[in-house]
Amino acid sequence: ASAPTGWTRRWGFSNSLVSRVGIMVAATKKAPTSPFNVDIESPTHIFIHGGGADRWTMDYLNDDEWVRNIETDGPRDWHYMFTRIVYHDGSPSPHFEEFVRHMGATKI
């Protein structure tokens, strides 16, 4: 599967300094229409292209959560969660209030 990576309203960035730097770096690295390519190896496992020597995958946990894995040749691998906070119709998921508390005064 392939889709443009930088479509409007597809990504959220906070008003933090780290996020602002991330936006600037992302803007210089690729065009908004550059492809995001994945191989859907099964209904619960996705391989993400573009990680260079690192292996990037996503694994299904439940209807609202996927875990992103970045396996490196270095001393540390990375694992973090993608959690749905809003459904396609705009209604909040069960994780929405936890997200609001986590973000605190930070704005998206």
Side-chain angles (χ1 to χ4, degrees), residues 57-96:
T57 60
M58 288 182 72
D59 293 294
Y60 174 90
L61 293 178
N62 59 59
D63 286 348
D64 289 334
E65 297 175 302
W66 287 72
V67 65
R68 169 83 174 268
N69 306 293
I70 301 175
E71 300 166 9
T72 69
D73 290 333
R76 183 174 176 165
D77 292 340
W78 297 90
H79 310 280
Y80 54 95
M81 298 290 293
F82 280 92
T83 304
R84 181 192 329 256
I85 57 170
V86 178
Y87 293 113
H88 70 279
D89 64 359
S91 63
S93 82
H95 304 278
F96 184 78

Side-chain angles (χ1 to χ4, degrees), residues 16-28:
S16 69
L17 179 60
V18 171
S19 187
R20 290 178 185 192
V21 169
I23 292 168
M24 289 185 280
V25 170
T28 63

